[in-house]
Amino acid sequence: MHTERLARRVPRPVGFWLLAVTLFAILAAASAPSPLYVVYQHRWGFSPIALTTIFAVYALALLVALLIVGGLSDYIGRRPVLAAALIVEAASMVVFLTADGVGPLLVARTVQGLATGAAAGAISAGLLDLQPSPTSHLGPLLSSVAPAAGLAVGALGAGLLVQYAPAPTMLVFVLLIAVFLLLAAAVFFLPEPVTPRPGAWASLRPRVAVPPQARKAFLAATPSLVATWAMGGLYLALGPSVAAGVLHIGGHLVGGLVVTTLFGTGAVASLLVGDLAPKRVMAGGSVALAAGTGLTLLALVGPSTPLFFVGTALAGAGFGSSFLGTFRSLASLAGPTERADLFASVYIVSYLAFSVPAVLAGLAVPSLGLRTATMVYGTVVIVLALLAAVPGTAVRRPTPIPLAAVASSEGLAAVAPSRPMAADVAGGREPCRQ
């Protein structure tokens, strides 16, 4: 029986790419509603404040999930957490599909945020667990590229469907429901790199856990995380509105193109700089983000549509490379039993920056106007990006934890720390043996 169960597991490389596809799909679903908001506003007549509230509940629910179940997969395994998250994600698409007002949209985004938050830490940790070798850069690279590419494709695909397909508020969600149900079924065949261990219930206490050896690097990387994801939040929440209200560009597809330009160039930039030193990538990306944001602000003063898209592309390149550099600088500082907690902390900071400033900007639009609110927002992003790029703000990276490849009971290469983790020793816990 045990042999038959093991025979159903896919090889580790297949599992690795399946996780990457899953992360891509979840983030594509996160941006898919953005081009539809204009349709919903026209149909149901809700205010810009209602729009920012819809955006806010997603981020709030995501943060709650990260705080509560962000590290759960370190205790019960990656598979059960991910399968449950994908089923809940499919349920959120069903609510979108049947939405007939602002209330259902709030419910849909809340459920989607919970699912995304539950999946984020497990997938990022799983990509490191199953990457080709302990020293490979592929896991951190895909943890950066897949979200950016997913956000880009989700917005563009939804924009195309809204512009050209029948039933634009339904078709995209029907497709996503099918995708998530298929992925939930496929998760059963993933190899499980984590041995279940006691402490799962205790891990559900809301907390932010950064391993001691990663705390200085995490603090140094925080300005970069805040600047990159604050820019991403602005584009997802108000990007289509800026295109229509300030640049006077019509068409539903344009809203998708604005988001796609930012995140698409971010994904491409991550691929191009993947082999460079993480600190250099983070600093260079921060400079590019500041410069690109500056160009977009100049474009709004013009206004100039070509300059706006050039600035957005440059800011996107900075977004992708800066986040990759940050992620890689932290990824080697945690062992397998600490990874989900660390990455949950990364996403908590990222999504706070992704949501809170964008919501505040949306609330400021009625009094300041869309152009002025965007200018103030962009100026703050520039300051934070330059702060992240200043060499003097960098903290010396701790020595990465040595990793060794060991064989698991399934005959698969698993990654384990070569010595007990400092946090486990301090907390009186025995490291997970794989």
Side-chain angles (χ1 to χ4, degrees):
M1 184 73 173
H2 183 63
T3 303
E4 291 176 358
R5 187 175 77 250
L6 295 183
R8 291 198 293 264
R9 303 294 180 230
V10 298
R12 288 172 63 88
V14 176
F16 175 83
W17 288 105
L18 178 60
L19 285 175
V21 169
T22 302
L23 184 59
F24 171 89
I26 287 175
L27 270 297
S31 66
S34 290
L36 291 168
Y37 288 147
V38 176
V39 178
Y40 291 139
Q41 277 188 300
H42 179 73
R43 182 175 298 179
W44 299 321
F46 57 81
S47 66
I49 294 178
L51 176 59
T52 55
T53 302
I54 294 169
F55 180 81
V57 295
Y58 165 79
L60 178 62
L62 189 150
L63 290 170
V64 169
L66 283 171
L67 284 169
I68 296 176
V69 300
L72 183 61
S73 72
D74 283 340
Y75 295 88
I76 68 173
R78 314 295 186 214
R79 276 202 312 262
V81 173
L82 187 52
L86 287 168
I87 292 171
V88 175
E89 189 82 37
S92 73
M93 298 299 106
V94 173
V95 181
F96 271 118
L97 182 64
T98 58
D100 57 0
V102 174
L105 287 182
L106 290 170
V107 173
R109 285 299 267 178
T110 300
V111 176
Q112 185 182 30
L114 292 172
T116 304
I123 294 177
S124 294
L127 285 171
L128 287 192
D129 294 331
L130 301 180
Q131 67 181 352
S133 71
T135 58
S136 173
H137 294 163
L138 196 55
L141 177 62
L142 286 179
S143 292
S144 175
V145 172
L151 289 167
V153 172
L156 180 60
L160 287 170
L161 292 177
V162 170
Q163 189 74 34
Y164 300 113
T169 60
M170 299 179 66
L171 183 57
V172 62
F173 300 116
V174 170
L175 294 174
L176 287 170
I177 289 169
V179 167
F180 289 128
L181 291 178
L182 287 173
L183 288 173
V187 163
F188 176 78
F189 300 96
L190 281 174
E192 178 57 79
V194 173
T195 301
R197 60 187 176 119
W201 285 110
S203 75
L204 297 180
R205 291 194 305 267
R207 62 188 179 132
V208 178
V210 178
Q213 70 276 8
R215 287 172 186 168
K216 288 184 178 180
F218 187 89
L219 183 62
T222 297
S224 176
L225 288 173
V226 173
T228 52
W229 285 98
M231 194 63 170
L234 175 66
Y235 270 75
L236 277 179
L238 297 176
S241 298
V242 169
V246 178
L247 299 175
H248 307 294
I249 309 173
H252 298 304
L253 181 58
V254 173
L257 285 175
V258 169
V259 176
T260 299
T261 301
L262 183 80
F263 293 111
T265 53
V268 173
S270 297
L271 291 172
L272 294 177
V273 301
D275 292 330
L276 299 179
K279 279 189 176 181
R280 182 182 302 176
V281 171
M282 184 170 68
S286 297
V287 171
L289 177 63
T293 304
L295 289 179
T296 60
L297 297 186
L298 286 176
L300 297 182
V301 173
S304 169
T305 298
L307 184 60
F308 177 81
F309 277 96
V310 170
T312 298
L314 182 56
F319 170 92
S321 53
S322 181
F323 184 61
L324 172 63
T326 302
F327 203 95
R328 277 187 54 200
S329 70
L330 297 172
S332 62
L333 301 180
T337 60
E338 300 170 317
R339 286 173 181 163
D341 268 347
L342 174 61
F343 297 142
S345 299
V346 169
Y347 283 118
I348 285 170
V349 173
S350 299
Y351 276 94
L352 279 173
F354 180 74
S355 58
V356 174
V359 171
L360 293 176
L363 294 175
V365 167
S367 57
L368 296 181
L370 185 59
R371 189 198 307 265
T372 302
T374 304
M375 297 288 287
V376 172
Y377 192 112
T379 302
V380 174
V381 169
I382 291 172
V383 171
L384 286 170
L386 292 177
L387 177 64
V390 173
T393 64
V395 178
R396 178 182 173 87
R397 269 183 64 193
T399 303
I401 296 172
L403 299 175
V406 297
S408 73
S409 60
E410 299 186 12
L412 301 169
V415 179
S418 61
R419 62 179 184 274
M421 296 297 98
D424 287 333
V425 174
R429 304 194 307 265
E430 182 179 349
C432 173
R433 305 185 192 284
Q434 304 204 31

